[in-house]
Amino acid sequence: ILAEIIRRLDGGKRTYRQILEEDILHPLGMRDTSLGLRADLAGRRVPIRARGWSEGMMPPEMLEAFNDILDEKAEIPAAGAFSTASDYYRFAEMLRRGG
């Protein structure tokens, strides 16, 4: 819901993915992060594997199904981001500095 609110407040001309890339990822230099699996990052993807198989917010089978549905076209703000530890650090550092 928050992604749709952001998209509408932006005027509805850009997708949430574009807003994320243009307003957050690129300015922070987060070149290895994307919403949906960009083709250039696909070879570095680590598959999702559910361990323990206990019920949580989502059944384990659904979590592992993301391996098949999260491709370059997927735009799922709550579960479709791909990143690296170094890019995640950049984002956390931005927050730590009050950004």
Side-chain angles (χ1 to χ4, degrees):
I1 293 174
L2 183 57
E4 182 60 16
I5 291 170
I6 290 168
R7 194 188 68 75
R8 288 183 187 196
L9 287 173
D10 185 59
K13 293 179 174 71
R14 298 187 292 171
T15 65
Y16 181 69
R17 176 185 290 120
Q18 289 171 313
I19 295 167
L20 185 66
E21 288 173 359
E22 295 170 8
D23 296 356
I24 297 174
L25 302 179
H26 288 201
L28 288 175
M30 296 174 67
R31 305 289 181 241
D32 294 328
T33 300
S34 67
L35 186 59
L37 184 59
R38 286 192 336 239
D40 62 310
L41 299 176
R44 298 167 52 193
R45 178 178 157 236
V46 176
I48 299 167
R49 297 287 179 247
R51 300 286 187 235
W53 294 94
S54 61
E55 291 290 328
M57 281 183 59
M58 295 181 191
E61 298 87 359
M62 181 182 245
L63 288 172
E64 290 189 0
F66 281 115
N67 289 315
D68 298 321
I69 62 173
L70 293 177
D71 60 14
E72 195 166 358
K73 295 177 185 168
E75 190 168 324
I76 305 171
F82 290 86
S83 192
T84 60
S86 129
D87 272 9
Y88 191 79
Y89 172 79
R90 284 179 179 269
F91 187 79
E93 186 65 7
M94 176 270 302
L95 294 175
R96 186 187 72 81
R97 292 182 180 192

